[in-house]
Amino acid sequence: MHVEATVAQDSSEGVRPDDPAEIGRRVLRLRGERGLTQRQLAEPAYTPAYVSTLESGKVRPSETALRHLAERLGVSYEELATGRPAELAAGLRLRLTDARRALATGAPEDAAVLFRALHEEAVAHALAEERTAALLGLGDCLLESGELTDARDCFAAAERLLADEPLPRRVPAIRGRATAHLLTGELRYACYLLESTLDELDAAGLHDPEALLLLYTASIAPYMDMGAHARAAHAAELALALAPRVSDPALVAGMHRGVARTLIAEGRIAEADASLAKAQELYRQLHIRTELAHCHWMRGYVHAQDGDLEQAERELRAARSILASKRAALFTEQVEVELADVLRRRGRAAEAQALLRPLLTSADERDGAGEGTGVLGAGRGAVHAGGAHRLLGLIAEERGDTEAAEEHYCAALSLLERSSAAGDLADLCRLLGDLLRRTGRVEAAMDAYRTGLGHRAAPGTTTLGPAPATPPM
Protein backbone atom coordinates (compact mmCIF):
# COMPACT_ATOMS: atom_id res chain seq x y z
CA MET A 1 0.00 0.00 0.00
CA HIS A 2 1.30 3.45 -0.91
CA VAL A 3 1.55 6.26 1.65
CA GLU A 4 -1.37 8.10 0.02
CA ALA A 5 -3.61 5.08 0.61
CA THR A 6 -2.32 4.67 4.15
CA VAL A 7 -3.09 8.28 5.00
CA ALA A 8 -6.45 8.07 3.20
CA GLN A 9 -7.46 5.24 5.52
CA ASP A 10 -7.05 7.61 8.41
CA SER A 11 -9.35 10.22 6.89
CA SER A 12 -12.25 7.79 6.40
CA GLU A 13 -14.09 6.28 9.34
CA GLY A 14 -16.13 3.49 7.67
CA VAL A 15 -18.39 1.30 9.82
CA ARG A 16 -17.63 1.61 13.51
CA PRO A 17 -17.44 -1.75 15.34
CA ASP A 18 -19.16 -0.22 18.38
CA ASP A 19 -22.15 0.88 16.28
CA PRO A 20 -25.40 -0.57 17.79
CA ALA A 21 -26.22 -2.36 14.53
CA GLU A 22 -22.78 -3.98 14.49
CA ILE A 23 -23.08 -5.05 18.13
CA GLY A 24 -26.56 -6.44 17.44
CA ARG A 25 -25.29 -8.51 14.52
CA ARG A 26 -22.48 -9.93 16.68
CA VAL A 27 -24.90 -10.91 19.46
CA LEU A 28 -27.21 -12.57 16.93
CA ARG A 29 -24.35 -14.49 15.28
CA LEU A 30 -22.82 -15.66 18.56
CA ARG A 31 -26.22 -16.68 19.98
CA GLY A 32 -26.94 -18.71 16.82
CA GLU A 33 -23.52 -20.40 16.96
CA ARG A 34 -24.20 -21.47 20.55
CA GLY A 35 -27.79 -22.59 19.92
CA LEU A 36 -29.29 -20.27 22.55
CA THR A 37 -32.79 -18.79 22.47
CA GLN A 38 -33.30 -15.11 23.19
CA ARG A 39 -34.85 -16.08 26.54
CA GLN A 40 -31.86 -18.25 27.50
CA LEU A 41 -29.49 -15.42 26.63
CA ALA A 42 -31.53 -12.76 28.43
CA GLU A 43 -32.37 -14.45 31.74
CA PRO A 44 -32.24 -13.73 34.57
CA ALA A 45 -31.37 -10.04 34.24
CA TYR A 46 -33.12 -9.10 30.96
CA THR A 47 -36.14 -9.99 28.82
CA PRO A 48 -36.27 -11.74 25.42
CA ALA A 49 -37.80 -8.54 24.01
CA TYR A 50 -34.72 -6.55 25.07
CA VAL A 51 -32.42 -9.05 23.34
CA SER A 52 -34.60 -8.86 20.21
CA THR A 53 -34.43 -5.05 20.19
CA LEU A 54 -30.64 -5.17 20.76
CA GLU A 55 -30.11 -7.70 17.95
CA SER A 56 -32.03 -5.51 15.52
CA GLY A 57 -29.66 -2.60 16.30
CA LYS A 58 -32.40 -0.36 17.71
CA VAL A 59 -30.78 0.16 21.09
CA ARG A 60 -27.21 0.80 22.30
CA PRO A 61 -26.57 -1.67 25.13
CA SER A 62 -25.06 -0.45 28.40
CA GLU A 63 -21.73 -1.78 29.63
CA THR A 64 -23.60 -3.79 32.28
CA ALA A 65 -25.83 -5.42 29.65
CA LEU A 66 -22.87 -6.22 27.41
CA ARG A 67 -20.96 -7.80 30.28
CA HIS A 68 -23.98 -9.98 31.10
CA LEU A 69 -24.41 -11.06 27.47
CA ALA A 70 -20.65 -11.67 27.04
CA GLU A 71 -20.64 -13.99 30.05
CA ARG A 72 -23.66 -15.94 28.71
CA LEU A 73 -22.08 -16.20 25.25
CA GLY A 74 -18.67 -17.26 26.62
CA VAL A 75 -16.68 -14.38 25.11
CA SER A 76 -14.85 -11.40 26.61
CA TYR A 77 -16.56 -8.06 27.09
CA GLU A 78 -14.04 -6.43 24.71
CA GLU A 79 -14.73 -8.94 21.94
CA LEU A 80 -18.48 -8.45 22.18
CA ALA A 81 -18.22 -4.65 22.43
CA THR A 82 -15.67 -4.15 19.66
CA GLY A 83 -15.73 -7.31 17.55
CA ARG A 84 -12.07 -8.04 18.12
CA PRO A 85 -10.52 -10.81 20.22
CA ALA A 86 -9.14 -9.70 23.56
CA GLU A 87 -5.59 -10.67 22.58
CA LEU A 88 -5.61 -8.83 19.25
CA ALA A 89 -4.46 -5.42 20.53
CA ALA A 90 -1.71 -7.01 22.63
CA GLY A 91 -0.54 -9.01 19.62
CA LEU A 92 -0.44 -5.89 17.44
CA ARG A 93 1.55 -4.03 20.07
CA LEU A 94 4.11 -6.84 20.17
CA ARG A 95 4.42 -6.74 16.39
CA LEU A 96 4.81 -2.95 16.50
CA THR A 97 7.76 -3.50 18.83
CA ASP A 98 9.20 -5.97 16.31
CA ALA A 99 8.74 -3.42 13.51
CA ARG A 100 10.52 -0.78 15.61
CA ARG A 101 13.38 -3.24 16.14
CA ALA A 102 13.49 -3.88 12.39
CA LEU A 103 13.81 -0.14 11.77
CA ALA A 104 16.53 0.20 14.42
CA THR A 105 18.67 -2.61 13.00
CA GLY A 106 17.74 -2.91 9.31
CA ALA A 107 16.65 -1.07 6.18
CA PRO A 108 13.85 1.52 6.53
CA GLU A 109 11.93 0.23 3.50
CA ASP A 110 11.77 -3.28 5.03
CA ALA A 111 10.44 -1.90 8.31
CA ALA A 112 7.98 0.27 6.35
CA VAL A 113 6.36 -2.88 4.92
CA LEU A 114 5.72 -4.13 8.47
CA PHE A 115 4.31 -0.80 9.66
CA ARG A 116 1.95 -0.55 6.67
CA ALA A 117 0.59 -4.07 7.30
CA LEU A 118 0.10 -3.29 10.99
CA HIS A 119 -1.63 -0.05 10.09
CA GLU A 120 -4.09 -1.91 7.86
CA GLU A 121 -4.93 -4.33 10.67
CA ALA A 122 -5.33 -1.53 13.20
CA VAL A 123 -7.70 0.32 10.84
CA ALA A 124 -9.72 -2.86 10.19
CA HIS A 125 -10.22 -3.39 13.92
CA ALA A 126 -10.58 0.31 14.85
CA LEU A 127 -7.56 0.23 17.17
CA ALA A 128 -6.74 3.93 17.34
CA GLU A 129 -3.67 3.70 19.58
CA GLU A 130 -2.01 0.99 17.46
CA ARG A 131 -3.03 2.82 14.29
CA THR A 132 -1.24 5.94 15.51
CA ALA A 133 1.86 3.98 16.53
CA ALA A 134 2.04 2.39 13.06
CA LEU A 135 1.83 5.82 11.39
CA LEU A 136 4.58 7.22 13.62
CA GLY A 137 6.79 4.22 12.84
CA LEU A 138 6.12 4.54 9.12
CA GLY A 139 6.93 8.25 9.28
CA ASP A 140 10.31 7.48 10.87
CA CYS A 141 11.02 4.91 8.12
CA LEU A 142 10.27 7.51 5.45
CA LEU A 143 12.51 10.10 7.14
CA GLU A 144 15.44 7.68 6.98
CA SER A 145 14.86 6.83 3.34
CA GLY A 146 14.53 10.52 2.44
CA GLU A 147 10.85 10.49 1.39
CA LEU A 148 10.17 13.67 3.30
CA THR A 149 6.74 14.70 1.97
CA ASP A 150 5.34 11.22 2.62
CA ALA A 151 6.91 11.22 6.09
CA ARG A 152 5.30 14.58 6.86
CA ASP A 153 1.92 13.26 5.72
CA CYS A 154 2.22 10.24 8.02
CA PHE A 155 3.03 12.40 11.04
CA ALA A 156 0.18 14.77 10.19
CA ALA A 157 -2.24 11.82 9.94
CA ALA A 158 -1.07 10.56 13.35
CA GLU A 159 -1.58 14.05 14.78
CA ARG A 160 -5.16 14.12 13.44
CA LEU A 161 -5.89 10.77 15.08
CA LEU A 162 -4.67 12.23 18.38
CA ALA A 163 -6.63 15.48 18.02
CA ASP A 164 -8.78 14.78 21.08
CA GLU A 165 -5.87 13.55 23.21
CA PRO A 166 -3.85 15.76 25.60
CA LEU A 167 -1.13 17.74 23.84
CA PRO A 168 1.80 15.70 25.30
CA ARG A 169 0.43 12.65 23.44
CA ARG A 170 0.65 14.58 20.16
CA VAL A 171 4.23 15.74 20.68
CA PRO A 172 5.97 12.76 18.93
CA ALA A 173 3.89 13.41 15.79
CA ILE A 174 4.64 17.15 15.94
CA ARG A 175 8.35 16.47 16.43
CA GLY A 176 8.24 14.13 13.41
CA ARG A 177 6.65 16.81 11.23
CA ALA A 178 9.22 19.37 12.40
CA THR A 179 12.07 16.97 11.57
CA ALA A 180 10.67 16.42 8.07
CA HIS A 181 10.56 20.21 7.52
CA LEU A 182 14.09 20.56 8.90
CA LEU A 183 15.46 17.91 6.50
CA THR A 184 13.61 19.55 3.63
CA GLY A 185 15.39 22.82 4.46
CA GLU A 186 12.43 24.68 6.00
CA LEU A 187 14.26 25.64 9.17
CA ARG A 188 12.01 28.51 10.23
CA TYR A 189 8.86 26.42 9.96
CA ALA A 190 10.49 23.59 11.93
CA CYS A 191 11.28 26.12 14.69
CA TYR A 192 7.75 27.50 14.55
CA LEU A 193 6.19 24.04 15.04
CA LEU A 194 8.42 23.22 18.00
CA GLU A 195 8.23 26.63 19.68
CA SER A 196 4.46 27.03 19.29
CA THR A 197 3.98 23.58 20.85
CA LEU A 198 6.25 24.51 23.77
CA ASP A 199 4.23 27.69 24.31
CA GLU A 200 0.96 25.77 24.14
CA LEU A 201 2.21 23.24 26.70
CA ASP A 202 3.27 26.05 29.03
CA ALA A 203 -0.02 27.95 28.65
CA ALA A 204 -1.97 24.82 29.51
CA GLY A 205 0.30 23.93 32.44
CA LEU A 206 1.18 20.61 30.79
CA HIS A 207 4.81 20.36 31.86
CA ASP A 208 5.29 16.75 30.81
CA PRO A 209 9.06 15.99 31.10
CA GLU A 210 9.22 13.55 28.16
CA ALA A 211 7.28 15.85 25.83
CA LEU A 212 9.41 18.85 26.82
CA LEU A 213 12.67 16.92 26.45
CA LEU A 214 11.65 15.72 22.98
CA LEU A 215 10.79 19.27 21.86
CA TYR A 216 13.86 20.99 23.31
CA THR A 217 16.19 18.34 21.87
CA ALA A 218 14.54 18.58 18.43
CA SER A 219 14.85 22.38 18.41
CA ILE A 220 18.65 22.41 18.81
CA ALA A 221 19.44 21.42 15.20
CA PRO A 222 17.31 24.07 13.44
CA TYR A 223 18.50 26.73 15.91
CA MET A 224 22.13 25.87 15.18
CA ASP A 225 21.62 25.83 11.40
CA MET A 226 19.93 29.23 11.60
CA GLY A 227 22.78 30.66 13.66
CA ALA A 228 20.62 31.15 16.77
CA HIS A 229 23.35 29.73 19.00
CA ALA A 230 22.18 31.39 22.22
CA ARG A 231 18.72 29.95 21.80
CA ALA A 232 20.17 26.51 21.02
CA ALA A 233 22.34 26.67 24.16
CA HIS A 234 19.29 27.61 26.27
CA ALA A 235 17.31 24.68 24.84
CA ALA A 236 20.26 22.39 25.67
CA GLU A 237 20.37 23.66 29.27
CA LEU A 238 16.65 23.00 29.70
CA ALA A 239 17.00 19.54 28.16
CA LEU A 240 19.84 18.67 30.57
CA ALA A 241 17.70 19.83 33.50
CA LEU A 242 14.79 17.65 32.35
CA ALA A 243 16.83 14.49 31.69
CA PRO A 244 16.84 13.16 35.31
CA ARG A 245 13.00 13.13 35.23
CA VAL A 246 12.84 11.01 32.05
CA SER A 247 13.05 7.22 32.11
CA ASP A 248 13.19 6.53 28.35
CA PRO A 249 16.89 5.89 27.54
CA ALA A 250 16.39 6.67 23.83
CA LEU A 251 15.14 10.18 24.71
CA VAL A 252 18.08 10.72 27.06
CA ALA A 253 20.53 9.53 24.39
CA GLY A 254 18.99 11.92 21.86
CA MET A 255 19.37 14.73 24.37
CA HIS A 256 23.09 14.00 24.83
CA ARG A 257 23.58 14.00 21.06
CA GLY A 258 21.77 17.32 20.67
CA VAL A 259 23.57 18.98 23.58
CA ALA A 260 26.93 17.98 22.10
CA ARG A 261 26.27 20.23 19.12
CA THR A 262 25.92 23.31 21.33
CA LEU A 263 29.07 22.37 23.25
CA ILE A 264 31.00 22.19 19.97
CA ALA A 265 29.80 25.68 19.03
CA GLU A 266 31.07 26.96 22.40
CA GLY A 267 34.48 25.35 21.83
CA ARG A 268 33.96 22.82 24.65
CA ILE A 269 35.27 19.93 22.56
CA ALA A 270 36.13 17.50 25.37
CA GLU A 271 32.68 17.94 26.95
CA ALA A 272 31.01 17.47 23.56
CA ASP A 273 32.91 14.23 23.00
CA ALA A 274 31.96 13.00 26.48
CA SER A 275 28.30 13.78 25.81
CA LEU A 276 28.44 11.86 22.54
CA ALA A 277 30.12 8.91 24.25
CA LYS A 278 27.16 8.70 26.67
CA ALA A 279 24.70 8.78 23.78
CA GLN A 280 26.71 6.18 21.86
CA GLU A 281 26.71 3.76 24.79
CA LEU A 282 22.95 4.08 25.24
CA TYR A 283 22.31 3.50 21.53
CA ARG A 284 24.57 0.43 21.59
CA GLN A 285 22.57 -0.99 24.50
CA LEU A 286 19.31 -0.25 22.66
CA HIS A 287 20.64 -1.61 19.31
CA ILE A 288 19.51 1.54 17.47
CA ARG A 289 21.97 1.57 14.56
CA THR A 290 20.85 4.76 12.81
CA GLU A 291 21.29 6.85 15.95
CA LEU A 292 24.58 5.10 16.66
CA ALA A 293 25.70 6.18 13.19
CA HIS A 294 24.66 9.76 14.01
CA CYS A 295 26.95 9.61 17.06
CA HIS A 296 29.90 8.51 14.89
CA TRP A 297 28.95 11.29 12.49
CA MET A 298 28.91 13.93 15.24
CA ARG A 299 32.15 12.64 16.77
CA GLY A 300 33.71 12.96 13.33
CA TYR A 301 32.58 16.58 13.30
CA VAL A 302 34.04 17.09 16.80
CA HIS A 303 37.44 15.73 15.72
CA ALA A 304 37.35 17.85 12.54
CA GLN A 305 36.70 20.98 14.63
CA ASP A 306 39.58 19.98 16.90
CA GLY A 307 41.93 19.53 13.92
CA ASP A 308 42.28 15.73 14.24
CA LEU A 309 41.37 15.01 10.62
CA GLU A 310 42.57 11.40 10.62
CA GLN A 311 40.25 10.47 13.50
CA ALA A 312 37.47 12.57 11.96
CA GLU A 313 37.72 10.57 8.74
CA ARG A 314 37.56 7.27 10.66
CA GLU A 315 34.43 8.32 12.54
CA LEU A 316 32.68 9.66 9.42
CA ARG A 317 33.49 6.52 7.45
CA ALA A 318 32.06 4.42 10.31
CA ALA A 319 28.87 6.51 10.20
CA ARG A 320 28.66 6.22 6.43
CA SER A 321 29.15 2.45 6.55
CA ILE A 322 26.32 1.94 9.07
CA LEU A 323 23.92 4.26 7.25
CA ALA A 324 24.67 2.75 3.84
CA SER A 325 24.13 -0.78 5.20
CA LYS A 326 20.74 0.35 6.52
CA ARG A 327 19.94 1.99 3.16
CA ALA A 328 19.23 5.27 5.00
CA ALA A 329 19.72 7.23 1.78
CA LEU A 330 19.35 10.86 2.89
CA PHE A 331 21.53 10.53 5.98
CA THR A 332 24.19 8.66 3.96
CA GLU A 333 24.32 11.52 1.46
CA GLN A 334 24.57 14.12 4.21
CA VAL A 335 27.45 12.37 5.98
CA GLU A 336 29.25 12.07 2.62
CA VAL A 337 29.28 15.88 2.38
CA GLU A 338 31.03 16.14 5.75
CA LEU A 339 33.43 13.34 4.84
CA ALA A 340 34.28 15.20 1.62
CA ASP A 341 35.12 18.30 3.68
CA VAL A 342 37.61 16.29 5.75
CA LEU A 343 39.13 14.69 2.65
CA ARG A 344 39.65 18.12 1.05
CA ARG A 345 41.28 19.43 4.20
CA ARG A 346 43.59 16.40 4.16
CA GLY A 347 44.74 17.33 0.67
CA ARG A 348 42.67 14.71 -1.18
CA ALA A 349 40.56 17.07 -3.28
CA ALA A 350 40.01 14.55 -6.10
CA GLU A 351 38.47 12.02 -3.67
CA ALA A 352 36.30 14.74 -2.17
CA GLN A 353 35.08 15.85 -5.58
CA ALA A 354 34.31 12.26 -6.62
CA LEU A 355 32.20 11.90 -3.48
CA LEU A 356 30.31 15.17 -3.95
CA ARG A 357 29.41 15.24 -7.64
CA PRO A 358 26.98 12.27 -7.61
CA LEU A 359 25.09 13.97 -4.76
CA LEU A 360 24.28 17.00 -6.94
CA THR A 361 24.63 16.08 -10.62
CA SER A 362 21.26 14.35 -11.00
CA ALA A 363 19.50 17.24 -9.27
CA ASP A 364 21.08 19.68 -11.72
CA GLU A 365 20.15 17.52 -14.68
CA ARG A 366 16.56 17.29 -13.47
CA ASP A 367 16.18 21.04 -13.04
CA GLY A 368 16.79 21.00 -9.31
CA ALA A 369 14.04 18.48 -8.55
CA GLY A 370 14.86 17.74 -4.95
CA GLU A 371 12.81 15.23 -3.10
CA GLY A 372 12.35 11.77 -4.45
CA THR A 373 15.33 11.95 -6.84
CA GLY A 374 17.76 10.39 -4.38
CA VAL A 375 20.08 13.44 -4.43
CA LEU A 376 20.51 16.54 -2.30
CA GLY A 377 18.66 19.65 -3.41
CA ALA A 378 16.23 22.41 -2.56
CA GLY A 379 13.55 20.07 -1.23
CA ARG A 380 15.81 17.41 0.24
CA GLY A 381 18.76 18.11 2.53
CA ALA A 382 19.06 21.73 1.39
CA VAL A 383 21.63 22.75 4.03
CA HIS A 384 23.96 19.88 3.09
CA ALA A 385 23.33 20.56 -0.61
CA GLY A 386 24.57 24.10 0.03
CA GLY A 387 27.57 22.66 1.86
CA ALA A 388 28.36 20.38 -1.10
CA HIS A 389 28.30 23.32 -3.54
CA ARG A 390 30.50 25.34 -1.17
CA LEU A 391 33.09 22.53 -1.07
CA LEU A 392 33.05 22.14 -4.85
CA GLY A 393 33.57 25.90 -5.10
CA LEU A 394 36.62 25.72 -2.82
CA ILE A 395 38.05 22.82 -4.83
CA ALA A 396 37.48 24.74 -8.07
CA GLU A 397 39.22 27.81 -6.63
CA GLU A 398 42.19 25.73 -5.52
CA ARG A 399 42.72 24.51 -9.07
CA GLY A 400 42.26 28.05 -10.48
CA ASP A 401 38.81 27.61 -12.07
CA THR A 402 37.20 30.82 -10.75
CA GLU A 403 34.18 30.58 -13.07
CA ALA A 404 33.18 27.14 -11.73
CA ALA A 405 33.89 28.30 -8.16
CA GLU A 406 31.57 31.28 -8.56
CA GLU A 407 28.80 29.08 -9.98
CA HIS A 408 29.03 26.73 -6.99
CA TYR A 409 29.12 29.58 -4.45
CA CYS A 410 26.03 31.18 -6.02
CA ALA A 411 24.20 27.83 -6.03
CA ALA A 412 25.10 27.36 -2.35
CA LEU A 413 23.98 30.90 -1.54
CA SER A 414 20.57 30.30 -3.13
CA LEU A 415 20.01 27.08 -1.19
CA LEU A 416 21.11 28.49 2.15
CA GLU A 417 19.12 31.73 1.81
CA ARG A 418 15.93 29.78 1.05
CA SER A 419 16.48 27.57 4.07
CA SER A 420 17.44 30.50 6.37
CA ALA A 421 20.68 28.74 7.32
CA ALA A 422 22.26 31.93 8.65
CA GLY A 423 24.97 29.95 10.42
CA ASP A 424 26.66 29.10 7.07
CA LEU A 425 25.62 32.12 5.01
CA ALA A 426 28.13 34.61 6.45
CA ASP A 427 31.10 32.36 5.67
CA LEU A 428 29.81 31.68 2.16
CA CYS A 429 29.35 35.41 1.47
CA ARG A 430 32.94 35.97 2.58
CA LEU A 431 34.19 33.29 0.16
CA LEU A 432 32.16 34.74 -2.70
CA GLY A 433 33.23 38.30 -1.86
CA ASP A 434 36.91 37.30 -1.80
CA LEU A 435 36.55 35.60 -5.17
CA LEU A 436 34.80 38.58 -6.74
CA ARG A 437 37.39 40.99 -5.34
CA ARG A 438 40.28 38.91 -6.71
CA THR A 439 38.68 38.92 -10.17
CA GLY A 440 38.34 42.73 -10.14
CA ARG A 441 34.58 43.04 -9.40
CA VAL A 442 34.87 45.23 -6.34
CA GLU A 443 31.27 46.52 -6.22
CA ALA A 444 29.86 42.99 -6.48
CA ALA A 445 32.34 41.88 -3.79
CA MET A 446 31.15 44.64 -1.46
CA ASP A 447 27.54 43.57 -1.98
CA ALA A 448 28.48 40.00 -1.05
CA TYR A 449 30.31 41.20 2.08
CA ARG A 450 27.33 43.38 3.11
CA THR A 451 25.01 40.39 2.72
CA GLY A 452 27.33 38.31 4.88
CA LEU A 453 27.57 41.00 7.55
CA GLY A 454 23.79 41.19 7.65
CA HIS A 455 23.59 37.50 8.47
CA ARG A 456 26.52 37.72 10.91
CA ALA A 457 25.33 40.78 12.85
CA ALA A 458 22.50 39.13 14.77
CA PRO A 459 22.19 35.49 13.72
CA GLY A 460 18.68 34.15 14.10
CA THR A 461 17.12 37.28 15.53
CA THR A 462 15.48 38.45 12.30
CA THR A 463 13.81 35.14 11.55
CA LEU A 464 12.59 34.01 14.97
CA GLY A 465 10.01 35.51 17.29
CA PRO A 466 10.25 35.62 21.09
CA ALA A 467 11.73 32.52 22.68
CA PRO A 468 9.28 30.03 24.23
CA ALA A 469 8.50 30.48 27.91
CA THR A 470 10.73 28.50 30.28
CA PRO A 471 8.71 25.80 32.07
CA PRO A 472 8.95 25.33 35.83
CA MET A 473 11.54 22.65 36.54
Side-chain angles (χ1 to χ4, degrees):
M1 182 187 298
H2 294 295
V3 170
E4 293 85 352
T6 303
V7 174
Q9 281 183 321
D10 287 298
S11 60
S12 60
E13 287 301 319
V15 178
R16 292 175 58 89
D18 59 351
D19 182 79
E22 284 296 301
I23 293 174
R25 279 191 282 272
R26 277 197 294 277
V27 172
L28 179 61
R29 175 177 57 79
L30 290 168
R31 183 174 65 80
E33 288 172 0
R34 285 149 180 75
L36 296 173
T37 66
Q38 289 178 337
R39 182 177 299 278
Q40 288 170 325
L41 181 59
E43 291 180 344
Y46 299 93
T47 65
Y50 176 74
V51 172
S52 176
T53 305
L54 189 153
E55 288 180 346
S56 65
K58 294 176 181 175
V59 64
R60 177 180 291 278
S62 66
E63 181 182 338
T64 303
L66 277 178
R67 290 194 181 280
H68 166 81
L69 296 171
E71 184 179 352
R72 300 287 287 171
L73 291 165
V75 297
S76 69
Y77 163 76
E78 182 183 7
E79 184 172 353
L80 188 60
T82 65
R84 57 181 177 254
E87 69 278 3
L88 179 68
L92 272 174
R93 284 193 288 273
L94 283 173
R95 288 163 60 203
L96 281 164
T97 301
D98 291 340
R100 276 280 171 196
R101 190 176 298 115
L103 174 59
T105 59
E109 56 263 41
D110 296 337
V113 172
L114 301 177
F115 281 117
R116 285 191 179 100
L118 289 164
H119 179 264
E120 285 188 55
E121 285 189 51
V123 169
H125 295 285
L127 289 163
E129 186 175 342
E130 290 72 20
R131 193 171 161 187
T132 303
L135 281 169
L136 291 173
L138 180 56
D140 286 336
C141 292
L142 295 166
L143 284 181
E144 282 201 21
S145 57
E147 299 167 72
L148 302 180
T149 298
D150 287 344
R152 193 171 64 233
D153 289 345
C154 278
F155 291 124
E159 202 176 339
R160 286 194 298 272
L161 282 173
L162 295 167
D164 296 328
E165 296 289 328
L167 182 56
R169 288 283 315 280
R170 305 200 300 272
V171 163
I174 295 167
R175 191 272 314 172
R177 271 208 300 141
T179 303
H181 284 288
L182 168 66
L183 292 172
T184 300
E186 298 167 313
L187 306 183
R188 277 183 293 180
Y189 192 67
C191 288
Y192 164 75
L193 282 175
L194 297 167
E195 290 188 343
S196 59
T197 306
L198 284 164
D199 281 334
E200 194 177 341
L201 283 169
D202 186 67
L206 298 169
H207 302 120
D208 180 274
E210 291 199 356
L212 290 169
L213 184 64
L214 197 59
L215 292 166
Y216 282 123
T217 300
S219 66
I220 291 172
Y223 283 156
M224 292 297 293
D225 285 342
M226 293 181 71
H229 294 172
R231 197 169 287 195
H234 184 56
E237 287 173 13
L238 294 172
L240 281 166
L242 285 161
R245 298 166 57 192
V246 172
S247 58
D248 185 343
L251 286 182
V252 174
M255 179 275 299
H256 283 301
R257 186 159 63 84
V259 166
R261 191 165 176 188
T262 67
L263 294 172
I264 295 166
E266 295 168 4
R268 297 157 65 184
I269 302 299
E271 291 172 71
D273 198 46
S275 191
L276 287 168
K278 291 175 188 173
Q280 213 162 3
E281 182 55 34
L282 286 168
Y283 287 133
R284 277 201 193 95
Q285 293 171 11
L286 296 167
H287 305 289
I288 304 178
R289 295 184 68 225
T290 299
E291 302 302 336
L292 183 60
H294 277 278
C295 288
H296 281 293
W297 180 354
M298 186 68 77
R299 292 187 91 169
Y301 181 75
V302 168
H303 289 301
Q305 292 293 103
D306 203 30
D308 188 350
L309 299 181
E310 184 179 350
Q311 185 61 29
E313 182 180 345
R314 275 199 293 271
E315 291 285 0
L316 290 169
R317 287 195 183 280
R320 182 191 183 205
S321 176
I322 295 171
L323 293 168
S325 70
K326 286 188 88 277
R327 304 202 293 275
L330 178 59
F331 296 145
T332 303
E333 292 158 11
Q334 290 179 324
V335 82
E336 284 175 345
V337 174
E338 303 207 18
L339 176 58
D341 182 37
V342 169
L343 291 173
R344 187 195 68 83
R345 290 168 63 188
R346 297 196 73 188
R348 291 147 63 186
E351 286 181 60
Q353 189 170 357
L355 204 57
L356 292 168
R357 286 210 174 277
L359 303 180
L360 299 169
T361 303
S362 298
D364 294 338
E365 289 173 351
R366 299 178 199 189
D367 239 355
E371 186 174 348
T373 62
V375 292
L376 299 173
R380 189 176 182 278
V383 174
H384 279 81
H389 277 295
R390 173 188 174 278
L391 286 171
L392 287 169
L394 285 168
I395 292 168
E397 265 204 275
E398 287 162 2
R399 66 169 185 265
D401 189 346
T402 56
E403 186 177 341
E406 185 177 346
E407 286 179 9
H408 282 298
Y409 290 154
C410 289
L413 192 62
S414 173
L415 286 161
L416 296 176
E417 282 184 327
R418 275 185 285 177
S419 63
S420 306
D424 297 323
L425 275 164
D427 177 62
L428 186 63
C429 289
R430 177 189 61 79
L431 289 172
L432 180 59
D434 288 350
L435 176 66
L436 293 168
R437 182 172 52 81
R438 282 196 298 272
T439 53
R441 288 168 287 172
V442 177
E443 286 298 323
M446 290 180 69
D447 285 340
Y449 290 140
R450 287 189 195 100
T451 302
L453 286 169
H455 290 296
R456 190 67 179 165
T461 55
T462 59
T463 51
L464 296 171
T470 300
M473 290 296 177

